[in-house]
Amino acid sequence: MPHKIGFVVVSSSGHEDGFSARELMIHAPTVSGWRSPRFCQFPQEIVLQMVERCRIRKLQLLAHQYMISSKIEFYISESLPEYFAPYQAERFRRLGYVSLCDNEKTGCKARELKSVYVDAVGQFLKLIFHQNHANKYNIYNQVALVAINIIGDPADFSDESNTASREKLIDHYLGHNSEDPALEGTYTRRSDYISPLDDLAFDMYQDPEVAQIIRKLDERKREAVQKECYDYAKKLKQAIADLQKVGERLGRYEVEKRCAVEKEDYDLAKEKKQQMEQYRAEVYEQLELHSLLDAELMRRPLDLPLRPLARSGSPRHQKPMPSLPQLEERGTENQFAEPFLQEKPSSYSLTVSPQHSAVDQLLPATDPHPKINAESLPYDERPLPAIRKHHGEAVVEPEMSDADISDARRGGLSGEPEPLTEKALREASSAIDVLGETLVAGAYSKTWSYREDALLALYKKLMEMPVGTPKEDLKNTLRASIFLIRRAIKDIVTSVFQASLKLLKMIITQYIPKHKLSKLETAHCVERTIPVLLTRTGDSSARLRVTAANFIQEMALFKEVKSLQIIPSYLVQPLKTNSSVHLAMSQMGLLARLLKDLGTGSSGFTIDNVMKFSVSSLEHRVYEVRETAVRIILDMYRQHQASILEYLPPDDSNTRKNILYKTIFEGFAKIDGRPTDAEMRARRKAATEEAEKQKKEEIKALQGQLAALKDIQAEVQVGNIQGGKAAPAEALGIPDEHYLDNLCIFCGERSESFTEEGLDLHYWKHCLMLTRCDHCKQVVEISSLTEHLLTECDKKDGFGKCYRCSEAVFKEELPRHIKNKECNPAKPEKLANRCPLCHENFSPGEEAWKAHLMGPAGCTMNLRKTHILQKAPALQPGKSSAVAASGPSGSKAGSKIPTPKGGLSKSSSRTHARR
């Protein structure tokens, strides 16, 4: 008959801290299972080794509620080499795969129980997990498996069973059926029957202790059936059915207690513990009344799945767990007015509350967004299996005596703690005088549960002290309590440490105000405990560090403590060179947080002590400490500006060689709205690149313009030759094909410096016949400047033409210009030319333009004239005629020269055509 097969985890591709694949070997309501590493590579795999070679009949997988793999593949193998890695694919035979639901319909509030029926023989099972289903809760893209169950039978037994099945089939066809038909279909005769007690849902929802009792009773029931003791079998059957409900309820209580402990709701946790103890005791008593429970069943069997904790409510041995399955019926019994168990003399009866949950394919889970811890617990805080002794003895803690096993396991103080040693008696003599030796002995006990309960008892005692108690007694009780709190703060057990913080908070916020004690008592509480609390912020346990730091921050904000200004004075003490990394980081973090909460006005923090501490911390060996110090300095600068600079070295190049000071001064610049050095360098670089780019564009534009000018010069030369004006070139002794070289076609000047670049510079700055438009920066002929402003300039829409002087005037000024009639009237074009520079009329014709603009008695407003008269030598008569023939002929009004900032404008080809 198939049954549950034990297994061990051989290997896994990885796991998140605190969620090892070895957790899959434990089946209990409070297990956390396996989780892949955060942002892991897929696929992930786990290899399991069964206790023996067997034939697997059924696999059960309990998936996580939101860390869900899209597909899981199964491989089986007969054997593996002694070395486990690398696993070669050909050593495993693929069985198939299953797809898991993405759980969107349930809102990630239920866990899927997937059952897979297979028929494969082997000893090694490999599971391959593929990419996770995406949802808003799985922020690290992990996959997880809460539990796996393997059901099968030994391979040898399977072979015998198959042989028997074949013989049975032959007998059936031959008509030799010797079996009793009444027994057909019962589990005792079916070789493929799987007991419900081997189902995964049974272990995941049953209290482990009750589950083992049920299994033992089931064995007795089968033995009773074989011995035909049917009354006893019926009695056992009813007991098993009722115990299943009991186990589910106890399992639910255990989960609720764990959740309460994680939320630090110790009152609720204690209530759940008491419910479990009373309920369990009454059930066991009822079973004993019916002779169904004996010492053998009360002992924890060897095959009991080990509970993750020695004591279920212990945060010390407890890892941060994900959402655990909680039954949908969350009713809790706060009162025990009626007994849970009732006895009926006529027959066996075990009465239980009807609150229980049926197991479905989707098992209910708790809160879909569990709290994600920033850091996992260290190794020494992981839950360890309970210590099991031989010969059926109960599970014990090493510190406990055999007589106190059951009480200690439940964390109560029903027993007595060990007596105080001589050293402890001397050390705690004052506390013993006030609080009594029993309570102090519990606080000094080697058993952590006694220490925790001693603090809880002290908490209750202080809360119940009447208001009229003498002040001296109140002070003595307070100081004795602080003595025990100081010792408990140093405790390595998380629950004891947290109980001490709870007691300290009550004393400061309730006990002292209630009895109207002075501030001296509050100062005594803070001064005696804050150094020890600061030490705990350097603990190796992440949970203890965070808890201690959060409590210090909370305590500093108590109105009773805030006015004393004690805690800030401790936080600004210089860091010791030999202090631990965690301690230094915690102190810096606390200082940064409290500065934001308290500020520097009447809080104990001043500009002087904060800045001296922060500047000295810039030299610390730990990067995180230095980084936090920089952040504190920048925060101080936001509030106090120039006052902060007194504590820093001058801002110069030598100081900025230190990357920390460079970061600080650049942060100051950002706060002030000034550009940082990096930004200034980036701006200068961008400006340089833009200038280079613009220069290249100008050069490219000038090269294109020069090519266009050569074309114009060639056209002019052809026109002169056709008009019979080649004599000047011959008179100068210049070949026709080189006549236009080194010649300005507008003013007629010839120079050896008039190369391509030289001509560009001449046109741009020196030619008397040309000028630059002040509005678009184009170089145009002066004779065509008015036409340019009215028709071609980029600002042409802003100009209008005066009907009197025919010049371009700004449209805004045009009405006033016309109204004043101060302009010199222009003459018709055939009678006179009009100069746009000096606004004078002069004789018509193209030659007259040259004489007016270049002659000494001509235009007085041509700013280039002085330069050209000083530079140009006296022209020879032949050359003058050549210039006169070539220059103006190529410079009809309307032509213009492109500038480095613009393209080539309209050419003077229309002039040549008219000629």
Side-chain angles (χ1 to χ4, degrees):
M1 185 175 68
H3 59 275
K4 178 179 289 191
I5 302 295
F7 63 87
V8 295
V9 176
V10 175
S11 179
S12 66
S13 54
H15 62 85
E16 184 179 354
D17 290 345
F19 298 92
S20 169
R22 297 187 181 277
E23 296 291 328
L24 298 174
M25 298 161 56
I26 304 173
H27 292 171
T30 54
V31 297
S32 54
W34 167 81
R35 286 187 191 176
S36 68
R38 297 180 178 182
F39 302 112
C40 61
Q41 298 292 326
F42 290 98
Q44 293 281 303
E45 69 175 44
I46 296 176
V47 179
L48 310 177
Q49 179 181 1
M50 289 161 281
V51 294
E52 59 182 339
R53 182 175 177 269
C54 64
R55 180 179 295 274
I56 301 177
R57 303 290 188 179
K58 183 179 179 181
L59 295 173
Q60 290 183 297
L61 306 174
L62 182 57
H64 196 268
Q65 60 264 31
Y66 60 86
M67 298 181 186
I68 308 170
S69 175
S70 58
K71 182 173 71 173
I72 302 178
E73 293 185 86
F74 302 94
Y75 292 80
I76 196 167
S77 175
E78 292 281 352
S79 62
L80 281 179
E82 293 184 359
Y83 53 91
F84 295 145
Y87 295 106
Q88 300 178 7
E90 58 270 16
R91 294 187 180 274
F92 285 89
R93 178 168 59 89
R94 187 174 185 269
L95 300 179
Y97 73 91
V98 293
S99 298
L100 299 180
C101 174
D102 58 10
N103 223 0
E104 289 184 357
K105 292 183 179 180
T106 68
C108 298
K109 295 181 180 179
R111 301 187 298 196
E112 182 179 9
L113 177 61
K114 179 75 74 174
S115 296
V116 185
Y117 291 88
V118 296
D119 187 5
V121 177
Q123 191 173 1
F124 293 88
L125 180 67
K126 179 164 71 172
L127 287 74
I128 295 183
F129 299 80
H130 290 266
Q131 183 70 41
N132 62 289
H133 285 298
N135 57 65
K136 61 182 179 180
Y137 306 121
N138 193 2
I139 60 177
Y140 299 118
N141 294 332
Q142 295 172 275
V143 293
L145 185 63
V146 178
I148 180 172
N149 191 31
I150 304 174
I151 297 177
D153 39 40
D156 297 337
F157 176 81
S158 299
D159 296 338
E160 294 175 2
S161 177
N162 292 338
T163 303
S165 297
R166 288 194 297 270
E167 293 175 356
K168 180 179 178 180
L169 184 62
I170 294 172
D171 290 340
H172 174 74
Y173 279 103
L174 293 177
H176 301 155
N177 189 1
S178 59
E179 297 180 357
D180 185 358
L183 295 177
E184 288 186 2
T186 62
Y187 77 91
T188 57
R189 304 299 299 173
R190 286 173 50 189
S191 60
D192 61 343
Y193 174 78
I194 299 175
S195 171
L197 304 184
D198 289 333
D199 193 271
L200 180 59
F202 177 78
D203 281 326
M204 296 305 293
Y205 276 83
Q206 286 287 331
D207 176 75
E209 188 173 320
V210 175
Q212 292 308 306
I213 294 176
I214 292 175
R215 288 191 172 95
K216 288 295 184 181
L217 293 179
D218 187 65
E219 291 177 5
R220 291 186 179 183
K221 184 184 69 173
R222 290 199 300 268
E223 293 174 358
V225 171
Q226 291 176 359
K227 296 178 181 180
E228 299 183 352
C229 299
Y230 298 121
D231 291 337
Y232 186 54
K234 181 181 178 181
K235 190 177 183 180
L236 290 170
K237 177 184 176 182
Q238 182 62 38
I240 290 172
D242 292 338
L243 277 175
Q244 286 182 344
K245 300 176 184 179
V246 171
E248 286 185 4
R249 174 178 289 186
L250 289 173
R252 184 169 68 250
Y253 286 164
E254 180 67 25
V255 172
E256 291 173 353
K257 184 177 68 174
R258 290 290 184 89
C259 293
V261 171
E262 287 182 356
K263 296 176 182 178
E264 299 186 3
D265 188 351
Y266 300 116
D267 293 334
L268 179 60
K270 185 176 181 179
E271 178 184 338
K272 292 299 176 184
K273 183 182 72 171
Q274 291 174 349
Q275 286 181 350
M276 292 177 65
E277 291 172 351
Q278 180 171 350
Y279 192 29
R280 192 188 302 272
E282 292 176 351
V283 170
Y284 289 170
E285 181 181 358
Q286 189 69 37
L287 290 174
E288 289 176 352
L289 287 176
H290 293 279
S291 302
L292 296 177
L293 192 67
D294 53 23
E296 181 182 356
L297 291 183
M298 286 298 294
R299 293 194 296 266
R300 200 174 289 274
L302 296 179
D303 59 346
L304 172 64
L306 298 178
R307 300 181 67 177
L309 299 178
R311 175 179 181 263
S312 57
S314 167
R316 166 168 167 72
H317 299 291
Q318 182 174 343
K319 70 182 73 172
M321 293 192 175
S323 300
L324 297 172
Q326 293 182 353
L327 303 181
E328 294 185 2
E329 298 83 356
R330 289 174 172 255
T332 57
E333 293 75 24
N334 297 326
Q335 303 294 332
F336 294 93
E338 297 180 1
F340 290 101
L341 304 172
Q342 298 176 356
E343 180 182 0
K344 292 182 181 180
S346 59
S347 63
Y348 167 79
S349 175
L350 184 64
T351 305
V352 297
S353 172
Q355 294 179 343
H356 66 279
S357 171
V359 179
D360 199 356
Q361 283 300 101
L362 285 178
L363 304 180
T366 54
D367 184 9
H369 1 207
K371 180 179 179 182
I372 300 176
N373 293 331
E375 301 181 40
S376 299
L377 292 179
Y379 180 80
D380 59 354
E381 289 197 27
R382 291 184 180 179
L384 299 177
I387 300 173
R388 175 172 34 82
K389 290 195 174 183
H390 297 289
H391 309 298
E393 293 178 8
V395 177
V396 300
E397 288 189 12
E399 301 88 349
M400 299 180 186
S401 62
D402 293 340
D404 299 329
I405 288 172
S406 59
D407 289 331
R409 178 168 51 81
R410 296 178 176 86
L413 269 178
S414 56
E416 293 294 332
E418 62 272 19
L420 291 170
T421 63
E422 290 294 332
K423 179 181 177 182
L425 286 170
R426 290 193 302 270
E427 183 181 284
S429 59
S430 59
I432 293 172
D433 294 339
V434 177
L435 302 176
E437 186 173 350
T438 302
L439 194 148
V440 176
Y444 270 77
S445 175
K446 295 180 180 179
T447 303
W448 67 266
S449 57
Y450 288 132
R451 300 196 298 271
E452 179 185 10
D453 287 345
L455 294 175
L456 296 178
L458 180 57
Y459 182 98
K460 183 178 180 181
K461 179 177 181 179
L462 294 180
M463 288 292 291
E464 294 175 351
M465 289 192 72
V467 177
T469 307
K471 296 288 185 181
E472 193 63 29
D473 293 344
L474 293 172
K475 293 180 181 179
N476 292 335
T477 304
L478 181 144
R479 294 177 182 271
S481 301
I482 293 299
F483 174 81
L484 296 183
I485 290 172
R486 181 182 168 88
R487 175 182 175 83
I489 289 176
K490 303 176 184 178
D491 204 297
I492 63 174
V493 180
T494 306
S495 61
V496 178
F497 173 68
Q498 291 174 338
S500 68
L501 299 185
K502 180 180 178 182
L503 179 58
L504 177 59
K505 180 178 179 181
M506 184 273 292
I507 291 175
I508 295 175
T509 60
Q510 298 180 44
Y511 181 83
I512 294 177
K514 175 183 176 181
H515 299 288
K516 298 180 180 180
L517 299 179
S518 66
K519 289 186 177 181
L520 291 176
E521 305 306 323
T522 306
H524 173 78
C525 295
V526 177
E527 290 177 346
R528 294 294 295 166
T529 56
I530 192 63
V532 190
L533 279 171
L534 283 173
T535 303
R536 293 313 301 268
T537 62
D539 199 277
S540 59
S541 167
R543 170 182 284 183
L544 291 178
R545 288 200 306 272
V546 172
T547 303
N550 290 342
F551 183 81
I552 292 174
Q553 183 179 4
E554 181 184 6
M555 183 168 65
L557 298 177
F558 292 160
K559 61 180 181 180
E560 297 84 4
V561 178
K562 185 177 180 181
S563 59
L564 299 177
Q565 303 182 9
I566 295 176
I567 294 180
S569 63
Y570 280 92
L571 294 180
V572 294
Q573 291 181 1
L575 297 173
K576 298 179 180 179
T577 55
N578 60 347
S579 61
S580 69
V581 174
H582 292 311
L583 181 60
M585 291 171 57
S586 297
Q587 185 173 341
M588 291 298 299
L590 271 172
L591 176 61
R593 296 202 300 269
L594 283 178
L595 265 176
K596 293 181 179 179
D597 294 336
L598 300 176
T600 55
S602 301
S603 64
F605 291 124
T606 63
I607 298 176
D608 184 69
N609 61 23
V610 172
M611 285 303 300
K612 286 182 178 179
F613 174 79
S614 301
V615 173
S616 65
S617 299
L618 293 175
E619 306 297 328
H620 200 273
R621 69 182 189 279
V622 180
Y623 167 74
E624 288 81 0
V625 173
R626 300 194 300 269
E627 188 180 43
T628 306
V630 171
R631 191 167 65 248
I632 291 173
I633 293 173
L634 293 178
D635 290 340
M636 293 290 290
Y637 185 80
R638 287 188 183 92
Q639 301 174 17
H640 306 286
Q641 297 290 325
S643 302
I644 304 302
L645 299 178
E646 300 175 3
Y647 300 91
L648 299 173
D651 183 9
D652 52 30
S653 57
N654 290 331
T655 304
R656 284 180 176 260
K657 290 179 181 179
N658 186 318
I659 188 64
L660 292 176
Y661 285 113
K662 180 180 178 182
T663 303
I664 290 171
F665 287 121
E666 288 186 352
F668 291 170
K670 289 182 179 180
I671 294 171
D672 295 337
R674 296 181 283 108
T676 63
D677 285 351
E679 291 173 345
M680 293 178 65
R681 287 195 300 269
R683 290 181 184 180
R684 287 195 295 268
K685 183 178 179 181
T688 303
E689 291 176 352
E690 182 64 25
E692 291 291 336
K693 182 180 178 181
Q694 185 175 352
K695 184 177 180 180
K696 290 179 180 179
E697 290 177 353
E698 291 177 356
I699 293 173
K700 184 177 180 180
L702 288 173
Q703 289 174 347
Q705 296 161 13
L706 184 60
L709 287 174
K710 287 185 177 180
D711 293 341
I712 294 173
Q713 289 173 345
E715 292 177 3
V716 171
Q717 183 178 5
V718 172
N720 289 339
I721 293 173
Q722 291 177 352
K725 293 184 180 180
E730 295 177 358
L732 294 173
I734 301 173
D736 293 342
E737 61 272 14
H738 297 292
Y739 175 72
L740 293 178
D741 292 347
N742 308 116
L743 174 68
C744 173
I745 63 172
F746 298 102
C747 65
E749 181 180 356
R750 185 184 297 277
S751 173
E752 294 296 333
S753 64
F754 285 179
T755 60
E756 292 183 3
E757 292 80 3
L759 278 172
D760 291 340
L761 182 62
H762 174 73
Y763 295 149
W764 181 248
K765 290 186 176 182
H766 305 302
C767 183
L768 299 181
M769 300 296 293
L770 306 176
T771 187
R772 269 185 291 180
C773 175
D774 294 334
H775 307 287
C776 66
K777 305 305 180 183
Q778 283 280 358
V779 175
V780 298
E781 288 189 82
I782 296 174
S783 60
S784 63
L785 178 60
T786 298
E787 181 183 355
H788 167 78
L789 291 174
L790 293 173
T791 60
E792 297 177 357
C793 182
D794 294 341
K795 306 292 184 181
K796 63 183 179 181
D797 294 336
F799 289 94
K801 185 175 181 180
C802 175
Y803 70 91
R804 286 170 53 82
C805 62
S806 301
E807 292 185 25
V809 182
F810 281 112
K811 287 183 178 181
E812 293 83 357
E813 300 177 2
L814 186 59
R816 182 181 58 79
H817 176 83
I818 295 175
K819 182 178 180 181
N820 292 339
K821 298 181 181 181
E822 294 178 353
C823 58
N824 184 20
K827 295 181 180 180
E829 185 178 355
K830 293 182 180 180
L831 300 178
N833 290 325
R834 178 78 176 188
C835 178
L837 300 181
C838 63
H839 312 297
E840 296 293 337
N841 298 318
F842 55 92
S843 58
E846 296 179 3
E847 296 296 335
W849 274 108
K850 186 174 182 181
H852 176 73
L853 294 174
M854 298 180 61
C859 182
T860 59
M861 302 300 294
N862 191 351
L863 301 180
R864 296 186 178 187
K865 180 186 295 185
T866 305
H867 172 73
I868 197 63
L869 290 176
Q870 292 176 353
K871 182 178 179 182
L875 296 176
Q876 301 175 4
K879 187 173 181 179
S880 298
S881 62
V883 171
S886 61
S889 66
S891 57
K892 176 68 179 172
S895 64
K896 58 186 175 181
I897 304 304
T899 71
K901 293 188 178 181
L904 185 63
S905 300
K906 294 180 181 179
S907 67
S908 58
S909 58
R910 61 181 181 275
T911 303
H912 306 312
R914 186 171 61 184
R915 286 194 167 199

